[in-house]
Amino acid sequence: MNEYLYGPVPSRRLGVSLGLDVVPSKVCSLNCVYCQLGPTSTPQTRRRSFFPPAELFAALDRRGPEPPRIDYAAFAGSGEPTLNADLGELIAGVKERLEAPVCVITNGTLAGDAELRRELAASDLLLPSLDAADQPTFERINRPAPGLRIAEIIAGLAALRREAGGRFWLEIMLAAGINDDAEHLDKLRAAVERIDPELVQLNTVVRPPAEEWVAAVEPERLEEIAAGFDRPVEVIAAYRGPQTRRRALDLEREVLTYLGRRPGRAEDLAAMLGQPIEAVRGTLKELIVAGRVRLRPMAEGDYYVRGEPPTHSEE
Ligand code: SF4
């Protein structure tokens, strides 16, 4: 494990994915109220180089001889991956080294940049997101960097969809009372028609959000909203996928490493680590007693969050 790779992790959208983390925590153009990574101190839009791409390629080359099966290599992680100015080179280098398809999870805010669209077109799957279709809602839910205009982002996403050769699934994160009213949903549906994604994935707040007051949309309401789209729409359910194999495991260290990246439930950890749920629960209990992990109850179950920053030895 190192600072550029994490997992494989079970993902609700991708099955089992190897995470590629290409921006420092937390570099993002948005400061979404529901973000599971916590607040963005200064949302930014300038693309920069954060490390030499050869370092990530070397980390991939060092992976063990029997890596667990992965469904995707996914650019995601500690912020917005398109802010890495070397993304095109990184995608090409990962595709050379791994058989798994490459996916980029992006908030879509830079889709108006033609050079970035060319880089993204080399990936096999794009998972952009769009939570708002008018500027006031955009500012309420995504709290963007200065200068970002949702109308330009929607136009950029439509261009990206036309130009990108691979698959394209648009995620919409709905938060109760913020972007789920009928009038705004009409605007979102119009934006979706314009972007024309292969699939729309409706999501809601299931992991501990940046702002405690953010609430999930009820499952029945999500299904109702999905039925209002005139195209393929999927409501994303909690991950229940296969377990991955691990050869050797220091459970406590692995649990802390995972929770250093994102909050998780005991069952997520058990699936990702290929360990019995009882063993994971026991380790979590000890870590809570030691003050290294905290419990946050959510509608979808109890999430565990890291109580302190990861140390280098745990990466
Ligand atoms: S949810 Fe994604 S886009 Fe929003 S602030 Fe967090 S990392 Fe950035």
Side-chain angles (χ1 to χ4, degrees):
M1 196 62 63
N2 70 81
E3 60 190 309
Y4 307 119
L5 309 181
Y6 59 95
V9 291
S11 144
R12 287 179 297 153
R13 308 173 75 193
L14 297 175
V16 177
S17 65
L18 175 68
L20 305 167
D21 197 356
V22 296
V23 294
S25 180
K26 181 197 175 192
V27 172
C28 193
S29 48
L30 302 179
N31 181 18
C32 303
V33 293
Y34 58 78
C35 184
Q36 59 174 311
L37 303 172
T40 314
S41 53
T42 314
Q44 52 197 280
T45 53
R46 191 168 69 83
R47 302 187 70 202
R48 285 183 286 151
S49 290
F50 294 103
F51 57 86
E55 287 185 10
L56 184 142
F57 302 150
L60 282 176
D61 294 339
R62 281 198 303 272
R63 291 181 78 224
E66 289 179 50
R69 178 187 65 80
I70 54 170
D71 298 311
Y72 283 96
F75 285 88
S78 307
E80 173 50 36
T82 61
L83 286 168
N84 188 314
D86 302 312
L87 188 61
E89 185 181 343
L90 288 164
I91 292 173
V94 171
K95 286 181 77 84
E96 269 172 29
R97 285 166 175 81
L98 297 181
E99 282 177 20
V102 169
C103 156
V104 180
I105 300 176
T106 171
N107 64 23
T109 50
L110 305 187
D113 176 340
E115 170 54 33
L116 172 65
R117 292 201 300 272
R118 271 192 292 279
E119 294 170 26
L120 291 175
S123 66
D124 301 290
L125 170 65
L126 285 172
L127 300 187
S129 55
L130 179 77
D131 308 329
D134 60 39
Q135 194 66 20
T137 309
F138 183 44
E139 286 174 14
R140 238 182 0 255
I141 189 161
N142 300 123
R143 303 186 296 196
L148 284 176
R149 310 292 305 168
I150 196 64
E152 291 165 16
I153 292 169
I154 291 168
L157 286 170
L160 179 62
R161 171 62 175 140
R162 280 195 309 274
E163 295 167 18
R167 317 193 72 182
F168 189 109
W169 305 344
L170 184 73
E171 180 181 36
I172 298 175
M173 176 68 92
L174 293 169
I178 303 180
N179 62 346
D180 65 335
D181 62 280
E183 190 188 339
H184 182 252
L185 288 171
D186 282 345
K187 292 181 192 174
L188 262 180
R189 276 189 282 268
V192 167
E193 284 311 306
R194 184 163 170 210
I195 296 167
D196 193 25
E198 182 187 14
L199 176 68
V200 173
Q201 295 187 310
L202 286 187
N203 203 351
T204 190
V205 187
V206 293
R207 292 195 159 133
E211 306 294 347
E212 299 216 349
W213 45 263
V214 178
V217 173
E218 293 297 321
E220 304 74 37
R221 175 75 181 129
L222 279 178
E223 294 295 344
E224 220 177 84
I225 293 170
F229 282 84
D230 202 12
R231 57 173 49 247
V233 179
E234 173 178 276
V235 174
I236 304 174
Y239 179 79
R240 298 279 185 267
Q243 297 193 346
T244 59
R245 290 182 291 113
R246 302 290 299 190
R247 283 173 295 142
L249 188 69
D250 172 340
L251 193 52
E252 182 177 301
R253 182 174 58 85
E254 292 288 348
V255 164
L256 286 170
T257 300
Y258 180 99
L259 296 179
R261 300 282 182 188
R262 63 190 64 221
R265 297 173 304 180
E267 50 267 44
D268 298 333
L269 285 155
M272 195 277 279
L273 301 173
Q275 290 293 302
I277 185 82
E278 299 76 25
V280 171
R281 288 215 169 98
T283 301
L284 286 166
K285 210 166 149 188
E286 285 164 17
L287 289 168
I288 287 176
V289 172
R292 306 190 72 188
V293 162
R294 284 179 290 117
L295 181 66
R296 281 194 63 183
M298 299 291 294
E300 276 221 354
D302 288 344
Y303 276 81
Y304 295 87
V305 297
R306 182 75 183 254
E308 60 186 2
T311 62
H312 182 68
S313 63
E314 285 155 3
E315 289 299 308

